[in-house]
Amino acid sequence: NYNEVLYAGCDYVTDNNQLAVYPDDPYEGATWDEENPADQNWAFEAIEMPSAWEYNNKLNDTSIKIGVVENGYYTSHEDFPDDYEIFDESNGNIDGKNHGTGVVGTIAAKSNNGIGVSGIVWNPGKMLLGINDSQNWTSSSVSLFTRLVENGAKVINLSLFAGIYGEEAALIIAKLVNNGYDFIAVQAAGNIPEEDSQYNGLFCTITDEIAEKVASETGLTAEDITGRKICVAASTKTESGYWYAG
């Protein structure tokens, strides 16, 4: 109510860098500059991780389970989070663990422990970690996504391609929503600057029109479907600068 406001003004102006929050993890001696990503931590600067750390008091909700679908993890890594559960559908078909370990580290690496790096969330809830089958990538990834949601994951990271598109992808979300599950799917938009995010398949291919069609067939609203997915542009470092796919 404007009539109740006697005065509104600014006491002082300060540089946001003065308010920035940084952990004591060394990042191999790298410095921080979100405006000019460089050094070993350039990818973390590109996604403005220090700005996210300013909100750690809001992110540190250990009751929220975080899901990840990948093709393996080095769980013995010194910065790997302690509280996790593995869901293995790989059938022994694992091509590599570096990518999955990096994804988990970006989300929730142990922080302020004086070694390695720090995750976005310094005190995460339980991590539900799916291991997909490199020989049956799409089917195992979708199966794991569903299992992680059904086991309580509220945010599920999918830094991957999957060969399911449009209405089929929307139906996956619609079924889970109709079964009463509350979740957000976060999928990578791809790594190639020139490519549209839809080339990465799965939830990145759900347009507003597709969501409206599937919603009308499943008793939902279009927002019930589109509001459950986020497609994230991936940063790519090149000789000429930094690009964001998607």
Side-chain angles (χ1 to χ4, degrees):
N1 188 332
Y2 292 111
N3 293 326
E4 296 179 1
V5 179
L6 297 179
Y7 172 78
C10 179
D11 287 331
Y12 60 89
V13 177
T14 185
D15 185 342
N16 278 340
N17 288 329
Q18 296 177 8
L19 303 176
V21 177
Y22 298 101
D24 62 13
D25 307 82
Y27 283 84
E28 299 185 11
T31 57
W32 290 98
D33 184 354
E34 291 182 357
E35 298 298 321
N36 299 286
D39 298 332
Q40 299 296 329
N41 59 337
W42 74 266
F44 302 115
E45 292 173 320
I47 64 172
E48 300 180 352
M49 187 181 283
S51 293
W53 286 333
E54 295 176 24
Y55 298 91
N56 253 317
N57 62 323
K58 300 183 184 298
L59 296 174
N60 292 333
D61 187 343
T62 57
S63 69
I64 297 176
K65 295 180 181 179
I66 303 170
V68 177
V69 178
E70 279 286 342
N71 190 227
Y73 314 90
Y74 289 110
T75 57
S76 60
H77 191 285
E78 60 185 0
D79 259 352
F80 206 84
D82 293 322
D83 191 8
Y84 65 88
E85 181 179 354
I86 297 291
F87 295 77
D88 191 348
E89 294 190 13
S90 69
N91 294 311
N93 297 317
I94 297 177
D95 286 340
K97 300 180 179 180
N98 288 337
H99 192 273
T101 305
V103 167
V104 171
T106 300
I107 298 170
K110 292 178 182 176
S111 305
N112 273 327
N113 60 352
I115 58 175
V117 300
S118 174
I120 296 173
V121 183
W122 291 3
N123 294 294
K126 187 173 186 176
M127 303 284 290
L128 307 185
L129 307 179
I131 305 177
N132 61 14
D133 185 336
S134 62
Q135 302 301 313
N136 298 283
W137 188 272
T138 294
S139 60
S140 62
S141 295
V142 171
S143 173
L144 283 165
F145 170 77
T146 301
R147 285 182 65 191
L148 298 188
V149 171
E150 292 174 343
N151 278 273
K154 297 298 184 182
V155 181
I156 304 90
N157 186 90
L158 303 123
S159 294
L160 49 80
F161 159 86
I164 289 181
Y165 303 89
E167 291 184 28
E168 289 184 324
L171 282 168
I172 294 170
I173 292 178
K175 181 178 180 180
L176 289 168
V177 171
N178 272 328
N179 286 336
Y181 293 105
D182 183 20
F183 62 92
I184 294 289
V186 182
Q187 184 184 355
N191 296 325
I192 302 174
E194 295 81 8
E195 277 194 357
D196 188 280
S197 62
Q198 293 202 19
Y199 285 106
N200 229 30
L202 201 57
F203 304 128
C204 288
T205 66
I206 302 175
T207 63
D208 289 342
E209 292 75 18
I210 288 172
E212 289 175 4
K213 183 177 185 297
V214 172
S216 67
E217 297 169 350
T218 55
L220 300 172
T221 67
E223 189 176 352
D224 288 331
I225 296 173
T226 58
R228 298 289 174 175
K229 57 103 175 179
I230 299 173
C231 290
V232 180
S235 56
T236 302
K237 186 178 182 181
T238 67
E239 291 183 358
S240 60
Y242 298 86
W243 299 86
Y244 295 88

